[in-house]
Amino acid sequence: MPIPTFLKPKLANVPQTRYTTLVFDIGDVLVNWTPVRDGTLPPKELRRMLVSPTWAKFECGRISEDECYQSIASQLAVDVHKLATTLEASRETLRFNSELFSFIDGVKKRYGLAVYAMSNISAPDFAYIRSKEAQWDVFDGIYTSCQMQERKPDMAFYQKVVAHGNIDPTRSIFVDDKLDNVISARALGMKGIVFQSTEQVLRSLTNLLCGSLERAHHYLQSHAGQLESKTNTGLRLMENFAQFLIFDVTGDRLVHGNRKSRYLH
């Protein structure tokens, strides 16, 4: 009687993911800024100003920059010229999250994703950051509140973006630093991630985009030559069985590792 043969499982050569679209906030995600401490406006007051109804109108293009500054200066009882100087100085502290930009560029190319930005931002502020050198070409589209005349977390903004970009919300991942904005995205069917740190977001995106086989392949590659078995107490077992098992399943010496195992020769 012939001995039956079994096909060995193969690691995926073509990366696949169920998601087709990434949508990122800009402020405090892709771009960070630091409130200037010049005595005109305490940082806490400055940040509170940025979520005020007056600022919201400014971000939607319903009032001009001068009208916005005049109104806020009156509300806070500060000199409008000093307020403008403080805001201008704070604008110049902007720094791009190059690590996240680079990651986005990589996964876009790897998985063939569509990538969009969606931000509450005024026309002058957007013109300023857009004039700075960054990987802007990674985006297939950038939707701003001043352009769409809507703001997050208002659902109308999301609906306009989805319609204009022909986006399938159920196959999209949305990243924003504000929970309210993420909740609205989830209500539309998107997978929402609240940005807390670059490391946390990169980890979350990797887990969502990469299949289990691809993550396993990456683990084997990154731990080449260090694939010993361990007990649940952390004790290393100096044996060859695990090494030979990995070799048998993958057909590769530690999955293209540059280093050879101490046990597998």
Side-chain angles (χ1 to χ4, degrees), residues 5 39 43 49 52 57 79 85 87 89 110 116-117 121 132-133 143-144 149 174 187 200 217 258:
T5 58
M49 178 200 75
S52 68
K57 291 178 183 178
D79 181 80
T85 299
L87 292 174
R110 184 171 181 80
Y116 298 96
I121 190 169
K132 301 299 179 182
E133 185 175 347
Y143 298 99
T144 63
Q149 296 190 323
F174 179 86
Q200 162 255 341
H217 194 176
N258 293 326

Side-chain angles (χ1 to χ4, degrees), residues 42 45 70 88 95 110 122 139 156 173-174 188 191 201:
E45 285 290 329
Q70 287 284 357
E88 181 64 30
R95 295 293 180 272
R110 184 171 181 80
S122 69
F139 297 109
I173 303 174
F174 179 86
L188 202 61
K191 180 68 177 179
V201 164

Side-chain angles (χ1 to χ4, degrees), residues 13-124:
N13 292 320
V14 180
Q16 296 180 341
T17 177
R18 68 174 297 269
Y19 295 101
T20 59
T21 307
L22 301 179
V23 183
F24 289 89
D25 180 29
I26 294 179
D28 293 325
V29 174
L30 291 167
V31 178
N32 299 295
W33 66 283
T34 304
V36 172
R37 299 175 182 273
D38 63 357
T40 300
L41 202 62
K44 187 176 180 180
E45 285 290 329
L46 182 58
R47 287 195 176 274
R48 192 167 68 176
M49 178 200 75
L50 298 180
V51 295
S52 68
T54 301
W55 195 265
K57 291 178 183 178
F58 176 42
E59 287 184 329
C60 286
R62 294 170 187 158
I63 60 175
S64 68
E65 186 174 54
D66 287 342
E67 289 173 321
C68 176
Y69 288 4
Q70 287 284 357
S71 177
I72 290 174
S74 176
Q75 294 170 30
L76 300 177
V78 298
D79 181 80
V80 66
H81 299 294
K82 290 184 178 179
L83 174 63
T85 299
T86 299
L87 292 174
E88 181 64 30
S90 296
R91 180 186 286 168
E92 292 175 359
T93 68
L94 287 174
R95 295 293 180 272
F96 290 93
N97 189 336
S98 57
E99 184 178 5
L100 185 51
F101 266 105
S102 179
F103 177 87
I104 294 169
D105 184 53
V107 295
K108 177 178 182 175
K109 292 174 180 176
R110 184 171 181 80
Y111 299 105
L113 302 171
V115 180
Y116 298 96
M118 181 178 174
S119 179
N120 292 340
I121 190 169
S122 69

Side-chain angles (χ1 to χ4, degrees), residues 125-195:
D125 285 332
F126 181 62
Y128 179 83
I129 67 168
R130 192 67 180 81
S131 69
K132 301 299 179 182
E133 185 175 347
Q135 291 178 274
W136 294 113
D137 59 350
V138 76
F139 297 109
D140 295 286
I142 300 177
Y143 298 99
T144 63
S145 57
C146 57
Q147 167 200 10
M148 309 298 282
Q149 296 190 323
E150 302 284 357
R151 293 180 79 257
K152 298 175 291 185
D154 295 339
M155 192 60 71
F157 193 1
Y158 298 78
Q159 291 168 339
K160 286 184 177 181
V161 170
V162 166
H164 190 275
N166 195 26
I167 296 170
D168 180 354
T170 64
R171 302 188 68 189
S172 302
I173 303 174
F174 179 86
V175 181
D176 198 293
D177 65 305
K178 294 179 176 58
L179 178 59
D180 286 350
N181 297 344
V182 173
I183 289 174
S184 291
R186 289 171 178 168
L188 202 61
M190 295 182 177
K191 180 68 177 179
I193 300 175
V194 179
F195 182 96

